[in-house]
């Protein structure tokens, strides 16, 4: 009996790893391609122009959350729980479609007001509106692919979107100016507009989003447009707190760039945003790890919620998330000054390198929070998640307002890590009350604490001294093996 339970547990972890690997690949490759845009932008754009692009994308992420209004997570929750899965698909599709159109027309009518309010050129506002609409319309089709377990199609379309976007960026920013200079009277030469680099970035995004929508548009033709109002009301009760939490997350992740643009003197604001955002991107590997894990774990958590040993499973998964995350944290920080040569070739951006350890750790805290927050989703108390996220957003806003005027982007980095750390702590203590999970706190804090200590030593005391950094990394690996060798040996021996 014990052997049977052990095999079942290992098969569960194997299933989780497989899901995370598949969807992780579909997420990692597009993210890797998109991060190739960082050296492209930092090579070709002045710091202020890159800062402007960053601020616009920050607003886009904020509105992406509003247009999704928690429906992605809600879809998975109801798809797994409801017997009439077709009704869930149809109701979600109708809801997202009409809410997107209700956004589109007023937004276009108010474009001048939005431009004045945000300080962004009206032409960029128009581009942004269309990108937001096209991205919203593919939320349900992508969710269906995950629900139907079609990772290959999901991956191909996701990767295709970014390949098109990257290719168009390279064409518009590098080759089109050369073509226009060599053959100004040619058709391609006539497409070139001088000093329109920022515009070309958003044109590239629109074309990529449009092609993605076209690829997924059959979903809208092969679905009956039935709408279950009672089901929709239940979905909205579940989803709206998630939207509020998402808005708070958008504030935590993106509002620092917006506030830097508002609170710093106008003559340096966009340049400061530019250098901060470029170095922020060195948190890529932790972001990829956290994002891939989240894509794999959310359906897994819901599908295994009724298992008798679910709490123990969640506890074990969280421990190994922390182990791998701690290793990534230390690795990236040790080699950060090598990675910068690949991602940020313009040395004028390197002045913000001091924020890199804080940003990587902040993203790790966010990943741990994702693990710890499973309890309120499973017991249908998503409003608690909204409250926690609101507290995090308040921490973000207050610390940014307090620290930006004197510390610039370093204050923003401190605010980010404080916000996610606060959310992580609150979720742990409330989870113990509402849905106790037997976390191995001693080991989790041990791995996390040691990786943070070694990171501080490597980056702030022996930076770019790899005779210290690499041995610290090896010691940490041995510490993992020494403590987990029994489990690791079982996994390695299992065929």
């Amino acid at each position: 009996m014990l052997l049977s339970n052990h095999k079942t547990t290992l098969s569960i972890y194997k299933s989780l790893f497989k899901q995370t690997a598949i969807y992780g690949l579909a997420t990692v490759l597009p993210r890797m391609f998109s991060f190739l845009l960082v050296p492209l932008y930092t090579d070709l754009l002045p710091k202020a122009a890159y800062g402007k692009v960053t601020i616009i994308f920050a607003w886009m992420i904020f509105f992406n959350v509003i247009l999704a209004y928690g429906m992605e997570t809600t879809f998975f929750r109801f798809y797994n729980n409801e017997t009439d899965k077709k009704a869930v698909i149809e109701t979600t599709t109708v809801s997202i479609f009409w809410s997107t159109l209700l956004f589109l027309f007023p937004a276009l009518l108010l474009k001048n007001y939005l431009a004045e309010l945000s300080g962004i050129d009206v032409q960029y506002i128009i581009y942004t509106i269309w990108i937001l609409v096209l991205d919203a319309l593919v939320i349900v089709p992508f969710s269906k692919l995950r629900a139907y377990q079609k990772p290959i199609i999901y991956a191909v379309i996701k990767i295709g979107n970014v390949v098109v976007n990257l290719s168009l960026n390279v064409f518009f920013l590098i080759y089109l100016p050369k073509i226009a200079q060599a053959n100004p009277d040619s058709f391609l030469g006539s497409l070139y507009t001088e000093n329109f680099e920022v515009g070309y970035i958003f044109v590239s995004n629109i074309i990529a989003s449009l092609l993605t929508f076209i690829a997924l548009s059959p979903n809208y033709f092969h679905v009956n447009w039935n709408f279950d109002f009672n089901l929709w009301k239940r979905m909205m009760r579940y989803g709206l707190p998630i939207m509020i939490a998402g808005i708070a997350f958008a504030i935590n992740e993106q509002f620092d760039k917006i506030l830097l643009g508002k609170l710093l003197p106008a003559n340096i604001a966009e340049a400061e945003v530019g250098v901060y955002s470029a170095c922020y991107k060195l948190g890529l590997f932790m972001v990829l790890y956290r994002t891939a894990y989240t894509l794999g774990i959310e359906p897994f958590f819901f599908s295994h919620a009724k298992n008798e040993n679910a709490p123990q499973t969640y506890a074990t998964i969280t421990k190994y998330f922390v182990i791998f995350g701690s290793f990534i944290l230390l690795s990236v920080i040790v080699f950060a000054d090598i990675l910068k040569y690949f991602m940020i070739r313009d040395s004028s951006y390197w002045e913000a390198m001091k924020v890199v350890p804080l940003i990587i750790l902040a993203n790790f805290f966010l990943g741990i929070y994702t693990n710890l927050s499973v309890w309120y989703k499973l017991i249908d108390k998503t409003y608690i998640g909204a409250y926690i996220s609101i507290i995090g957003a308040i921490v973000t806003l207050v610390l940014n307002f307090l620290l930006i005027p004197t510390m610039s982007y370093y204050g923003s980095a401190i605010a980010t890590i404080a916000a996610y750390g606060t959310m992580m702590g609150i979720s742990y203590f409330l989870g113990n009350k509402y849905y106790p999970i037997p976390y191995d706190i001693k080991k989790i804090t041990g791995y996390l604490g040691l990786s943070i200590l070694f990171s501080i030593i490597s980056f702030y005391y022996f930076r770019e001294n790899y005779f210290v950094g690499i041995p610290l990394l090896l010691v940490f690996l041995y510490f993992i093996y020494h403590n987990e060798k029994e489990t690791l040996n079982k996994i390695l021996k299992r065929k």
Side-chain angles (χ1 to χ4, degrees):
M1 183 68 179
L2 289 174
L3 181 61
S4 175
N5 288 338
H6 177 68
K7 288 182 177 179
T8 302
T9 301
L10 283 177
S11 69
I12 289 173
Y13 297 148
K14 184 178 179 181
S15 172
L16 169 64
F17 179 78
K18 183 178 179 181
Q19 288 184 54
T20 302
I22 292 172
Y23 290 110
L25 183 65
T27 304
V28 168
L29 287 180
R31 288 286 185 110
M32 288 294 290
F33 284 138
S34 67
F35 275 94
L36 292 175
L37 293 171
V38 177
L40 176 66
Y41 293 162
T42 54
D43 280 355
L44 299 176
L45 298 179
K47 290 183 287 187
Y50 184 55
K52 180 181 292 185
V53 171
T54 299
I55 291 170
I56 297 171
F57 276 118
W59 280 113
M60 284 177 60
I61 290 170
F62 185 78
F63 278 98
N64 272 329
V65 174
I66 295 174
L67 289 175
Y69 51 90
M71 272 297 181
E72 188 170 9
T73 300
T74 302
F75 174 88
F76 284 110
R77 177 60 170 169
F78 280 77
Y79 187 84
N80 281 286
N81 283 9
E82 297 290 317
T83 54
D84 191 352
K85 300 184 187 304
K86 185 179 178 183
V88 173
I89 294 171
E90 292 173 352
T91 300
T92 309
T93 301
V94 172
S95 181
I96 288 287
F97 179 81
W98 285 110
S99 63
T100 302
L101 291 187
L102 287 174
F103 163 80
L104 172 63
F105 297 111
L108 289 175
L109 287 173
L110 296 171
K111 59 184 182 296
N112 291 321
Y113 173 75
L114 294 172
E116 183 180 345
L117 187 67
S118 63
I120 298 170
D121 295 346
V122 68
Q123 61 180 332
Y124 302 143
I125 293 291
I126 296 171
Y127 297 150
T128 300
I129 290 169
W130 282 108
I131 294 168
L132 288 170
V133 166
L134 291 168
D135 288 350
L137 290 174
V138 297
I139 290 172
V140 178
F142 272 129
S143 297
K144 283 172 62 179
L145 289 175
R146 289 172 62 192
Y148 291 170
Q149 297 185 10
K150 294 184 177 179
I152 303 300
I153 300 174
Y154 179 94
V156 167
I157 297 175
K158 282 282 186 181
I159 294 170
N161 174 281
V162 182
V163 169
V164 169
N165 188 22
L166 176 62
S167 301
L168 289 173
N169 269 274
V170 171
F171 171 73
F172 284 129
L173 296 177
I174 296 178
Y175 292 106
L176 187 59
K178 294 179 181 178
I179 293 170
Q181 186 177 14
N183 300 288
D185 297 325
S186 65
F187 171 73
L188 289 177
S190 66
L191 297 177
Y192 177 69
T193 303
E194 196 172 357
N195 298 321
F196 191 63
E197 289 83 3
V198 174
Y200 285 132
I201 291 171
F202 290 98
V203 169
S204 301
N205 273 268
I206 289 176
I207 295 172
S209 294
L210 178 61
L211 291 176
T212 300
F213 172 71
I214 291 171
L216 292 168
S217 60
N219 285 273
Y220 286 95
F221 299 107
H222 297 151
V223 66
N224 294 322
W225 288 74
N226 298 320
F227 186 74
D228 187 331
F229 185 68
N230 290 324
L231 173 63
W232 181 78
K233 286 195 296 184
R234 290 191 290 120
M235 294 178 77
M236 291 300 288
R237 279 197 297 269
Y238 185 88
L240 286 179
I242 294 175
M243 181 190 75
I244 295 170
I247 291 172
F249 267 127
I251 291 173
N252 291 330
E253 286 198 3
Q254 301 297 332
F255 244 58
D256 51 354
K257 289 88 171 176
I258 294 170
L259 290 175
L260 280 167
K262 296 290 186 183
L263 298 177
L264 291 175
N267 61 321
I268 65 167
E270 289 183 344
E272 290 286 276
V273 175
V275 297
Y276 174 58
S277 300
C279 290
Y280 199 104
K281 297 294 186 182
L282 285 173
L284 157 71
F285 299 99
M286 187 60 75
V287 172
L288 293 178
Y289 174 61
R290 171 175 60 80
T291 306
Y293 175 84
T294 301
L295 280 171
I297 203 65
E298 194 167 75
F300 176 86
F301 277 155
F302 287 137
S303 62
H304 289 81
K306 296 178 182 178
N307 290 1
E308 184 179 347
N309 64 339
Q312 183 59 55
T313 300
Y314 299 155
T316 304
I317 289 169
T318 299
K319 184 183 75 170
Y320 284 101
F321 175 83
V322 172
I323 290 173
F324 288 118
S326 297
F327 175 70
I328 293 170
L329 170 73
L330 181 57
S331 300
V332 176
I333 290 174
V334 166
F335 296 109
D337 286 290
I338 293 177
L339 294 172
K340 73 183 181 186
Y341 288 101
F342 295 96
M343 292 188 65
I344 314 166
R345 293 189 290 260
D346 185 343
S347 60
S348 67
Y349 284 84
W350 295 351
E351 64 183 76
M353 279 295 295
K354 61 184 178 181
V355 305
V356 170
L358 297 181
I359 296 305
I360 297 171
L361 183 58
N363 275 288
F364 190 23
F365 282 173
L366 179 57
I368 297 173
Y369 169 76
T370 301
N371 275 273
L372 299 177
S373 66
V374 63
W375 61 270
Y376 66 70
K377 294 178 181 178
L378 295 176
I379 63 175
D380 291 342
K381 293 185 182 291
T382 52
Y383 63 88
I384 296 178
Y387 294 151
I388 295 172
S389 298
I390 290 169
I391 292 171
I394 292 170
V395 172
T396 295
L397 293 173
V398 169
L399 288 182
N400 269 290
F401 275 106
L402 289 175
L403 300 178
I404 284 176
T406 56
M407 302 177 70
S408 186
Y409 49 73
Y410 197 71
S412 293
I414 293 172
T416 303
I417 197 171
Y420 291 145
T422 300
M423 291 166 60
M424 180 179 66
I426 293 173
S427 184
Y428 170 71
F429 287 110
L430 289 181
N432 275 340
K433 179 180 178 181
Y434 290 101
Y435 191 94
I437 294 175
Y439 296 114
D440 190 342
I441 294 300
K442 184 178 178 181
K443 282 192 174 182
I444 287 173
T445 54
Y447 290 119
L448 179 60
L450 189 62
S451 68
I452 292 173
L453 175 62
F454 283 1
S455 297
I456 292 171
I457 293 171
S458 174
F459 193 86
Y460 293 107
Y461 292 95
F462 295 94
R463 187 170 168 185
E464 296 189 78
N465 185 340
Y466 300 106
F467 291 105
V468 174
I470 292 175
L472 287 175
L473 197 56
L474 294 174
V475 169
F476 187 72
L477 278 173
Y478 177 77
F479 181 73
I480 293 173
Y481 175 75
H482 178 75
N483 285 280
E484 306 297 329
K485 59 185 175 183
E486 185 177 341
T487 303
L488 290 173
N489 286 334
K490 287 179 181 177
I491 293 172
L492 291 172
K493 290 178 182 177
R494 181 178 170 83
K495 294 182 180 180

